Amino acid sequence: MADLNYIRKEIERMRTQVGRQRKEILQLQRAGISTASAETLLSRMLGKIDTLCDQRDALKKTDTNHNKGRVLGGRRW
């Protein structure tokens, strides 16, 4: 299974791509061009993000060092 930091970076990268895809769909709609294939790609991208978020959440639950020894503000005592 992938590293927690890798999954977080991948989620961030995919969200950036989703934003670009949405802008492209708007441009196509303004130009009067069909956006069916672009919307299909967007839905697949959003599904991939959901899968990555599920993986991230599962890794966070199994990570024993995640909240150990921390107080509000993230300090270690």
Side-chain angles (χ1 to χ4, degrees):
M1 192 175 267
D3 179 46
L4 184 59
N5 288 329
Y6 170 78
I7 291 178
R8 286 179 176 158
K9 288 178 185 177
E10 189 67 14
I11 290 170
E12 182 180 345
R13 185 186 68 80
M14 289 290 292
R15 286 182 176 161
T16 303
Q17 286 183 337
V18 163
R20 289 181 186 146
Q21 185 70 16
R22 285 186 172 140
K23 288 178 186 176
E24 185 176 324
I25 288 172
L26 284 173
Q27 288 177 345
L28 292 172
Q29 288 173 341
R30 287 183 191 129
I33 300 171
S34 174
T35 59
S37 61
E39 289 173 358
T40 303
L41 175 61
L42 180 62
S43 66
R44 284 193 313 232
M45 292 167 74
L46 291 172
K48 175 71 174 175
I49 290 174
D50 289 340
T51 303
L52 288 169
C53 288
D54 291 341
Q55 288 178 0
R56 179 199 60 200
D57 293 343
L59 281 174
K60 281 171 60 175
K61 285 181 183 177
T62 60
D63 189 9
T64 57
N65 295 328
H66 186 266
N67 290 325
K68 189 175 182 180
R70 290 200 176 181
V71 204
L72 289 177
R75 294 182 180 167
R76 289 183 180 263
W77 297 96

